[in-house]
Amino acid sequence: MRTVICFGEVLWDILPTGQQPGGAPFNVAVHLHQLGQPVQLISRVGDDELGRELLAFIKSKGLSTAHVQQSHTHLTGVVKANVDDAHEVVYKIVQPVAWDYIQYETELADLVAGADMLVYGSLAARQEDSRETLYRLLEKARFRVFDVNLRPPHYTPETTLHLLSKANLVKLNHHELAEVMQWLGQETRQDRADAMQWLAMHYQLQAVCVTCGAEGALLYTGGQLYRAPGLPVTVRDTIGSGDAFLAALLKGWLAGDEPATMLRFACAAGALVATFQGATPAIGEADVAALLKTRTE
């Protein structure tokens, strides 16, 4: 089986109902694992109670903690999530924290070089230490997946565009697409399909995927645009929905599925997670397929 490496933040989401493990790379890793895809997580937690609890949770999800570093100088990351609007969660992300200081190691370089795919986002590049580690690991990766995941004020256009320039596949939401196109002086490209095609050509990307919330998603690859509608579900919260979407899309990509097939499956995975509270409910491939079946009959 082909291996995926997820690089970046692992943290606690502080919700009104209590704390839950989170961080986009961690969520993607959990969902990849639950979909039967071998995966490793590169991150960093504090040598504190919250860090130990996170390590225990990671193990409970069946993931290895071999490449989750422990810091004696920085605390485990926390995020305060405002879920007053279930469809648009607002985050307050504490800094600096342990995952801002992921240290480069030869072992990590070997791990990435031997994997089939490296998944990374913009948030872990907000501080110099983790950013430089990521830049070095990107040079080792065979296939690079950029999950843009902009979280104000924790990004700059310069860093984000550099990360984009290194990608083979990029996933972003429709708001992020508009913002990135504005940075590139292409804000007149209001049509999403036109913007995606331009972005793919400009950065020589193998694929551009844009999520559009309840409307579904678009995938541009191989010179063609694919569309999949959103699946109507009763939303508990949208935390982790985009991460489940990406995990499902990447599983399909690695399996060589048809683009339309993988996009529909990814939309179903994202929709299913939204029916639960929290980012990483215990759902597998059969659960996603079952939802997809009920919505297409």
Side-chain angles (χ1 to χ4, degrees):
M1 289 286 287
R2 306 170 77 181
T3 302
V4 179
I5 310 298
C6 294
F7 176 98
E9 64 275 10
V10 57
L11 46 82
W12 287 102
D13 283 325
I14 309 300
L15 304 168
T17 52
Q19 63 186 37
Q20 294 188 16
F26 167 68
N27 296 340
V28 172
V30 170
H31 287 296
L32 281 167
H33 176 72
Q34 293 183 160
L35 292 170
Q37 179 66 51
V39 61
Q40 291 277 355
L41 176 68
I42 297 175
S43 190
R44 191 174 180 91
V45 298
D47 183 16
D48 50 29
E49 189 59 34
L50 287 178
R52 286 185 283 276
E53 289 177 7
L54 265 183
L55 291 173
F57 185 84
I58 293 168
K59 290 177 182 176
S60 77
K61 285 293 187 177
L63 295 176
S64 169
T65 58
H67 306 291
V68 180
Q69 302 168 357
Q70 284 189 277
S71 171
H72 299 289
T73 53
H74 294 92
L75 298 175
T76 297
V78 295
V79 171
K80 296 174 183 177
N82 184 332
V83 293
D84 290 344
D85 180 353
H87 296 271
E88 196 68 46
V89 181
V90 178
Y91 301 93
K92 182 180 180 182
I93 306 170
V94 176
Q95 75 175 115
V97 290
W99 57 258
D100 285 312
Y101 298 91
I102 302 171
Q103 300 300 299
Y104 181 86
E105 299 170 351
T106 304
E107 182 183 359
L108 297 184
D110 293 340
L111 181 71
V112 170
D116 291 277
M117 185 177 277
L118 174 65
V119 182
Y120 61 99
S122 63
L123 187 54
R126 68 179 181 176
Q127 297 263 115
E128 184 178 3
D129 288 58
S130 289
R131 182 169 63 246
E132 290 305 314
T133 297
L134 175 57
Y135 284 2
R136 293 177 71 179
L137 293 178
L138 284 170
E139 300 305 319
K140 305 289 185 180
R142 298 183 200 173
F143 189 90
R144 297 169 288 273
V145 177
F146 183 27
D147 180 15
V148 176
N149 203 28
L150 299 178
R151 294 282 181 255
H154 303 282
Y155 63 89
T156 65
E158 293 75 20
T159 298
T160 307
L161 293 178
H162 177 76
L163 293 172
L164 179 57
S165 74
K166 296 295 182 181
N168 301 108
L169 182 157
V170 62
K171 174 247 177 188
L172 61 176
N173 65 36
H174 59 290
H175 299 300
E176 292 165 343
L177 176 65
E179 187 167 352
V180 168
M181 295 302 284
Q182 184 176 30
W183 295 343
L184 294 166
Q186 300 294 320
E187 58 267 72
T188 58
R189 296 181 184 274
Q190 298 294 318
D191 180 72
R192 291 171 189 168
D194 178 47
M196 292 167 70
Q197 183 176 1
W198 185 91
L199 203 61
M201 293 181 65
H202 186 71
Y203 284 106
Q204 298 182 305
L205 298 163
Q206 290 188 35
V208 177
C209 185
V210 174
T211 57
C212 308
E215 294 177 34
L218 307 170
L219 177 64
Y220 182 82
T221 186
Q224 292 190 54
L225 181 73
Y226 301 86
R227 299 175 186 267
L231 280 72
V233 294
T234 301
V235 175
R236 290 285 298 278
D237 71 52
T238 56
I239 298 174
S241 289
D243 305 324
F245 172 97
L246 180 59
L249 187 77
L250 296 182
K251 178 177 171 59
W253 183 277
L254 288 168
D257 292 346
E258 290 294 320
T261 300
M262 71 175 83
L263 189 61
R264 282 196 303 272
F265 187 79
C267 283
L272 184 57
V273 168
T275 66
F276 293 87
Q277 191 170 50
T280 54
I283 60 169
E285 192 169 1
D287 302 303
V288 179
L291 175 64
L292 196 56
K293 188 171 186 292
T294 62
R295 293 299 188 271
T296 55
E297 287 179 339

